[in-house]
């Protein structure tokens, strides 16, 4: 699983960088319930190891929470999901600005190989 992969990367990073602070882990957030649960598991693993975790909403132009509860309320009242989303999208302002790629904190690939 992805959580196991992150754990193995964290373990390799710990071994490779025993004398330095571990770099943060960057990831793209997902919004399905099972993905949210998996990300929480990875966040806990990173937290236990003192690794900063930073998520981004790169899959979406707006975070679902930014569109407010009115989308779900409109659907609950019987409005079609696409109409509710279209209306909610335009009521919540501009699309987010792009986030620059990280320039620091990435481990060289050689540091990630478990020895």
């Amino acid at each position: 699983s992805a959580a196991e992969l992150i754990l193995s990367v964290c373990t390799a990073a710990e071994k490779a960088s025993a004398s330095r602070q571990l770099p943060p882990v960057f990831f793209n957030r997902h919004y399905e319930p099972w993905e949210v649960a998996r990300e929480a598991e990875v966040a806990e693993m990173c937290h236990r190891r003192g690794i900063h975790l930073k998520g981004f909403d790169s899959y979406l132009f707006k975070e679902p929470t930014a569109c407010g509860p009115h989308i779900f309320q409109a659907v609950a009242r019987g409005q079609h999901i696409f109409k509710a989303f279209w209306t909610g999208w335009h009521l919540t302002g501009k699309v987010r600005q792009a986030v620059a790629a990280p320039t620091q904190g990435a481990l060289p690939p050689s540091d990630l190989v478990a020895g």
Side-chain angles (χ1 to χ4, degrees):
S1 76
E4 291 167 342
L5 175 63
I6 293 291
L7 178 58
S8 67
V9 169
C10 289
T11 302
E14 286 174 328
K15 290 178 184 175
S17 60
S19 63
R20 59 184 171 161
Q21 183 178 3
L22 294 173
V25 172
F26 299 93
F27 71 100
N28 297 321
R29 281 191 291 273
H30 291 259
Y31 300 95
E32 296 84 359
W34 57 90
E35 297 284 0
V36 171
R38 183 179 71 176
E39 289 169 10
E41 181 183 350
V42 170
E44 177 58 30
M45 285 189 290
C46 289
H47 177 72
R48 284 189 304 235
R49 289 165 174 76
I51 300 170
H52 178 71
L53 191 65
K54 177 66 176 152
F56 296 92
D57 60 336
S58 67
Y59 291 114
L60 303 173
F61 290 110
K62 294 182 183 184
E63 288 278 344
T65 54
C67 292
H70 52 273
I71 293 174
F72 300 106
Q73 292 167 353
V75 171
R77 291 190 308 270
Q79 190 175 57
H80 192 275
I81 184 68
F82 295 111
K83 171 66 175 161
F85 183 78
W86 180 262
T87 303
W89 174 273
H90 292 286
L91 288 175
T92 57
K94 295 182 178 184
V95 173
R96 67 168 172 84
Q97 295 296 312
V99 176
T103 58
Q104 295 180 313
L107 285 176
S110 62
D111 284 352
L112 296 177
V113 177

